[in-house]
């Protein structure tokens, strides 16, 4: 029997113990300081976690550990170099929420294009039932040019959802071929042209050193006057203070953010909260009942493939040398 340790502490949700009872002994434990964590994971063959940290000091003491499954796309909580040195395979689950992120992104895009946050705020706070109270002109969805920054799987799903509305689409992604963009009826452009010509820009990039604060004061000044910005990608891609000032001085029309540089409310968050031009949702883009079920189903499926030695069917991000 394999020994599996789950650090997420959500036994009532995932029920890995029952799912995997025929091949493994599953125990749940909370994250702890390194010494205590080493003791709890001492005999673990497989560890399942979300954002709980697993340092190199911990991994170097776990002689039986063969696989780490991260229930998400971000493995920054792991010491990947130490895992590779110890021949520990690492798998990140991210496919399960792609549809949800694309759906949430498009909901935000349509909300901004139709000025829903501003008009809803005017009705609620001013008791005014009147078209024209929002100063910007209202255009049909199909009249807008949407710029997609990052044309990976989620960017492609967003494009597919927007196509039926008739809007024109363009994208920038140095790691995706123009051929793929054209196959999706999306025009490939360079970053500067996307900034200058898009009516709305939506971000779908991971947070890396090269993308941190990718949208600062300079980029917002380059954007069209009256353009809109949506970030359902990663917190830290946008300098929120610069964005707030760009909206406040009237250059950027509105913005929708599901992820922020700081997850906890900050002074800038409170400033944005008081403005109808900002549509804010609390990191819900990747969530749905269907996504949660798919996440646990994927984890179970990959564990069974791993136990059977069918490694070719598992998208490891780092693995031991065979």
């Amino acid at each position: 029997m394999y020994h599996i340790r789950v650090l997420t502490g959500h036994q009532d949700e995932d029920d890995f113990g029952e799912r995997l009872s025929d091949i493994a002994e599953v125990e749940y434990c909370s994250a702890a300081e390194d010494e205590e964590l080493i003791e709890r994971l001492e005999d673990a063959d497989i560890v399942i976690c979300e954002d709980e940290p697993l340092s190199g000091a911990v991994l170097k003491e776990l002689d039986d550990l063969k696989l780490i499954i991260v229930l998400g796309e971000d493995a920054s909580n792991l010491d990947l170099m130490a895992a590779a040195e110890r021949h520990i395979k690492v798998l990140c689950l991210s496919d399960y929420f792609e549809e949800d992120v694309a759906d949430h992104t498009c909901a935000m895009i349509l909300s901004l294009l139709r000025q829903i946050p501003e008009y809803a705020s005017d009705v609620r706070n001013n008791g005014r039932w009147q078209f024209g109270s929002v100063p910007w002109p209202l255009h049909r969805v199909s009249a807008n040019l949407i710029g997609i920054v990052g044309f990976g799987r989620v960017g492609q799903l967003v494009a597919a959802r927007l196509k039926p509305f008739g809007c024109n689409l363009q994208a920038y992604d140095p790691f995706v071929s123009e051929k793929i963009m054209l196959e999706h009826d999306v025009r490939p452009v360079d970053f500067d042209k996307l900034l200058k010509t898009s009516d709305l820009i939506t971000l779908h990039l991971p947070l890396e050193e090269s993308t941190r604060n990718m949208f600062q004061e300079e980029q917002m000044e380059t954007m069209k006057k009256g353009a809109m910005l949506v970030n359902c990608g990663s917190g830290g891609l946008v300098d929120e203070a610069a964005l707030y000032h760009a909206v406040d001085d009237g250059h950027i029309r509105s913005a929708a953010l599901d992820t922020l540089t700081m997850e906890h409310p900050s002074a800038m968050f409170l400033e944005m909260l008081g403005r109808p031009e900002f549509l804010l949702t609390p990191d819900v883009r990747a969530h749905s009942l269907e996504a949660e079920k798919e996440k646990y189903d994927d984890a179970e499926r990959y564990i069974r493939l791993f136990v059977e030695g069918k490694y070719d069917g598992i998208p490891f991000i780092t693995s031991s040398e065979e």
Side-chain angles (χ1 to χ4, degrees), residues 238-251:
V238 177
D239 180 337
E240 283 105 13
L243 175 61
Y244 179 85
H245 293 306
V247 171
D248 190 49
D249 67 18
H251 185 72

Side-chain angles (χ1 to χ4, degrees), residues 52 59 80 110 125 166 171 179 194 196 236 258 309 315:
E52 295 80 8
L59 297 180
L80 292 177
L110 294 172
N125 297 322
K179 181 175 181 290
L194 184 139
K196 291 179 177 178
D258 183 66

Side-chain angles (χ1 to χ4, degrees), residues 239-267:
D239 180 337
E240 283 105 13
L243 175 61
Y244 179 85
H245 293 306
V247 171
D248 190 49
D249 67 18
H251 185 72
I252 300 297
R253 192 182 96 181
S254 56
L257 308 172
D258 183 66
T259 182
L260 301 170
T261 302
M262 291 182 60
E263 287 296 316
H264 301 289
S266 62

Side-chain angles (χ1 to χ4, degrees), residues 6-17:
V6 184
L7 297 182
T8 61
H10 301 314
Q11 183 172 1
D12 56 330
E13 296 178 8
D14 58 53
D15 203 16
F16 283 123

